[in-house]
Amino acid sequence: MSVALGVDATGGLTIPATEITGRVLPVRGELADLLPWGGLRRGSTVSVRGSTSLLLALLSTATAEGCWAAVVGLPNLGVLAAAELGVAVGRLALVPKPGSDPAVVERTVAALLDGIDLVSVAVPVAPHTARRLSARARQRKAVLVPFGTWPGADVELRVGEGRWTGLGTGHGVLAEREVTVHAGGRGAASRPVRTDLLLPASGGGIGPTRPVTRPVVAVAG
């Protein structure tokens, strides 16, 4: 198992300066309407499918306001990409390769849930393991954020196919991508909702879609 902890600008390990103690951890305004609590409720399991950018955007505001987050099993996750999406990387712990032993993976995630506010796991686990880890999150008042399908998740956020803009006729660069994020789940999240976002927006990060402007047509008379 390999672990990378968040570091500050001087290369030293950081420690949390503040702690958010409320029942709901904040998220960006563009994502709040997708969650029945308007944020990430402590003790809940919120799975993300289809976009690591959405996963990072979901962690960004809470880490910026003092929470710690951990991501398990995403070896290609870029710290720079996380920073561009607003994650406070000094409060981000990475476990890129937790190993292939299911028992070790479970112990690793359980230990992180004991002391970290938000824990994302991208390693497939058996249904009984998923239930135990979700129960652990409830007990420890952490937020479990699986990346991928997760049995019994309170909320599932799923990104559909997106549309890139920025390319002209044979020239230009990809500038931003408009996607639709679908949310569903159980209990308070049983009513499906959706929203359109720019992910990434021009210059990086996340943003609302721009309103469509239509030409004004003069009508005689």
Side-chain angles (χ1 to χ4, degrees):
M1 178 178 67
S2 58
V3 182
L5 292 177
V7 295
D8 62 18
T10 64
L13 292 180
T14 59
I15 59 174
T18 60
E19 181 182 358
I20 299 176
T21 57
R23 291 183 64 247
V24 178
L25 304 183
V27 297
R28 293 183 59 105
E30 298 91 345
L31 302 175
D33 290 342
L34 293 168
L35 300 164
W37 322 286
L40 296 166
R41 189 190 67 192
R42 287 188 179 274
S44 66
T45 298
V46 178
S47 67
V48 176
R49 292 174 54 194
S51 171
T52 55
S53 294
L54 177 61
L55 171 65
L56 293 171
L58 200 63
L59 305 179
S60 62
T61 301
T63 59
E65 296 191 13
C67 284
W68 275 72
V71 179
V72 179
L74 281 177
N76 296 322
L77 183 68
V79 175
L80 178 59
E84 289 177 345
L85 284 160
V87 176
V89 295
R91 286 186 287 272
L92 177 66
L94 303 178
V95 187
K97 297 179 181 179
S100 57
D101 186 336
V104 172
V105 172
E106 181 176 357
R107 287 198 299 270
T108 299
V109 177
L112 291 168
L113 288 168
D114 286 349
I116 290 183
D117 302 286
L118 303 114
V119 179
S120 177
V121 54
V123 181
V125 301
H128 63 274
T129 300
R131 289 192 293 270
R132 285 200 294 264
L133 291 174
S134 289
R136 186 80 164 221
R138 285 194 298 272
Q139 294 165 1
R140 302 302 186 184
K141 304 302 181 187
V143 182
L144 182 62
V145 190
F147 185 65
T149 302
W150 193 268
D154 298 297
V155 180
E156 180 183 87
L157 303 180
R158 177 178 57 83
V159 176
E161 292 186 4
R163 180 176 65 88
W164 284 96
T165 59
L167 286 177
T169 305
H171 67 279
V173 295
L174 294 174
E176 55 190 23
R177 182 182 182 223
E178 183 176 334
V179 299
T180 300
V181 182
H182 303 264
R186 55 198 186 104
S190 59
R191 183 178 65 87
V193 296
R194 54 180 283 181
T195 190
D196 294 326
L197 299 172
L198 294 177
L199 188 66
S202 181
I206 183 174
T209 56
R210 295 177 179 82
V212 177
T213 57
R214 302 184 183 280
V216 177
V217 180
V219 179

